[in-house]
Amino acid sequence: AAAAAAAAAAPSFYYPSAAGSLYQWHQLQFSGSPPARRAAHTATEVDGLVFFFGGNDGCSLFNDLHILDVEGQTWTAPLTHGKPPSPRAGHGACFCKATNQLVIFGGGDVLGPRHDLFGLDIATLEWTQMEVYGTPPSARMGHAFVAVLPAQLLVFGGGYMDKTFNDLHMLDLEKNVWSRPADSGTLPCPRAGLACTAMGDQLYMHGGADADQIFSDIHILDTNFLRMDFFRQSESDPNSSNSVENSSTSKESANSPPPPRELELGGSENAENSSASLSPSTSTPASSASTSTSTSTSASASASASSSSSSSSSSSTSTSTSTSTSTSTSTSTSTSASASASASASSSSSSSSSSS
């Protein structure tokens, strides 16, 4: 009787038995409008609220948002703002504490697998398509997407059709950059549809499948190396801060770099090779500057050569030669060639005068 009373009072999906060693399932009735039936959607807990997004029912794809208030035992379908993700299933979702956002990555829509990135501001319920530097993971579905630090999220595995992955990617939302951590040890074989969760410093992954088999193995990723690298970099590199404020200050001081490239949409293996530089350069390459100088100087030298030919003056040849010594090597070559042409023209003119 006491256990039944506790179960009725506790708004949870399971509760411990009187012995404290077993769990018992209860189907609870919540007020409000629950989501329509679906599969391949995501559920993300944020401060006692569970955010459900996307999925499919075998005929249609969804991009609606539903929130379950576990304490109040109510469903809500809030009105959101901004640009939401396209209707999709098989995507990844996790909560980023540093930015207070529900982050959605990848999944599949009517166009195929995606590798785009969206954030939902928990306070304002506004969607934004996020722009980041670096090379994003290739388009995929059924991947693991887990937060391991307040602003660092990991993507592992996934795939589409008969292609599966076992690559590890990290998304740093304080620096707005994708990177590839140097993971080591016994690497899980490529798979999609795996289950993954974080406990402390470790990431636990179980199961999944590829085109030939379904797995029952379990792998543990020790994320201490991420934490050590993160704090080591923050301490040793004053220009590489782990704060949003210092990151933006660093960007402003970088001689007006161009804005980051927006992630390409659509599913393609070619997306894996697409990249954006973390440190965009605005300086002109030395080879380009040399070519430009050579071209303009050669034009001037040619004009000088033409003038020298008409006047048949040896002093013009001397001037051209002086110019060649004060300019760059490429300019010297062009000017010397023009000077030779001038000398040849002058010689021809002189022999013509002798004949007459």
Side-chain angles (χ1 to χ4, degrees):
S12 59
F13 295 102
Y14 60 87
Y15 73 98
S17 68
S21 59
L22 298 176
Y23 291 89
Q24 182 175 356
W25 287 101
H26 286 266
Q27 185 174 3
L28 302 179
Q29 298 298 322
F30 291 87
S31 61
S33 300
R37 63 177 188 169
R38 64 189 64 196
H41 51 302
T42 54
T44 309
E45 188 272 334
V46 182
D47 296 331
L49 302 176
V50 185
F51 288 72
F52 292 83
F53 177 79
N56 74 87
D57 62 0
C59 298
S60 302
L61 293 164
F62 303 104
N63 67 343
D64 51 348
L65 179 72
H66 294 264
I67 301 177
L68 175 63
D69 185 341
V70 178
E71 186 68 27
Q73 300 188 23
T74 57
W75 283 104
T76 57
L79 178 65
T80 61
H81 312 282
K83 180 181 179 181
S86 59
R88 64 188 61 200
H91 52 281
C94 64
F95 175 60
C96 178
K97 293 181 180 179
T99 60
N100 196 39
Q101 286 179 308
L102 173 68
V103 184
I104 305 292
F105 171 72
D109 64 7
V110 294
L111 298 179
R114 313 285 285 190
H115 66 162
D116 47 5
L117 192 68
F118 290 84
L120 174 71
D121 189 297
I122 299 300
T124 63
L125 294 181
E126 181 175 2
W127 287 104
T128 56
Q129 184 167 8
M130 306 170 74
E131 299 177 349
V132 296
Y133 292 99
T135 303
S138 57
R140 64 189 63 198
M141 305 165 58
H143 48 284
F145 190 35
V146 184
V148 292
L149 286 171
Q152 284 70 41
L153 318 177
L154 286 181
V155 173
F156 177 82
Y160 61 93
M161 302 297 287
D162 60 347
K163 185 176 182 62
T164 52
F165 305 102
N166 64 345
D167 48 349
L168 181 68
H169 298 259
M170 185 170 74
L171 173 63
D172 188 328
L173 287 181
E174 285 184 337
K175 300 175 183 178
N176 285 331
V177 61
W178 283 105
S179 63
R180 288 290 305 273
D183 50 337
S184 59
T186 304
L187 190 65
C189 58
R191 64 190 65 199
L194 65 157
C196 183
T197 190
M199 290 183 61
D201 294 333
Q202 294 180 322
L203 211 61
Y204 290 80
M205 292 176 283
H206 175 261
D210 61 15
D212 301 318
Q213 58 182 321
I214 298 177
F215 302 105
S216 62
D217 51 353
I218 186 166
H219 295 264
I220 301 175
L221 174 67
D222 188 349
T223 63
N224 268 314
F225 75 97
L226 291 177
R227 299 173 187 270
M228 289 188 294
D229 288 349
F230 176 74
F231 290 115
R232 185 185 301 116
Q233 183 181 16
S234 300
E235 293 172 359
S236 63
D237 186 1
N239 296 323
S240 179
S241 173
N242 61 349
S243 69
V244 176
E245 179 181 356
N246 291 338
S247 179
S248 61
T249 303
S250 175
K251 289 178 183 178
E252 290 176 1
S253 64
N255 194 20
S256 303
R261 175 184 61 80
E262 183 174 333
L263 290 179
E264 296 178 4
L265 301 182
S268 171
E269 287 190 54
N270 294 333
E272 188 172 7
N273 298 323
S274 64
S275 62
S277 173
L278 173 59
S279 303
S281 174
T282 56
S283 60
T284 305
S287 59
S288 299
S290 175
T291 304
S292 175
T293 305
S294 175
T295 303
S296 60
T297 312
S298 297
S300 301
S302 297
S304 174
S306 176
S307 175
S308 172
S309 176
S310 60
S311 61
S312 305
S313 172
S314 61
S315 61
S316 175
T317 304
S318 175
T319 303
S320 299
T321 306
S322 300
T323 303
S324 67
T325 57
S326 61
T327 55
S328 63
T329 305
S330 60
T331 306
S332 175
T333 304
S334 300
T335 311
S336 299
S338 299
S340 298
S342 174
S344 176
S346 176
S347 175
S348 175
S349 177
S350 298
S351 63
S352 176
S353 298
S354 298
S355 297
S356 70

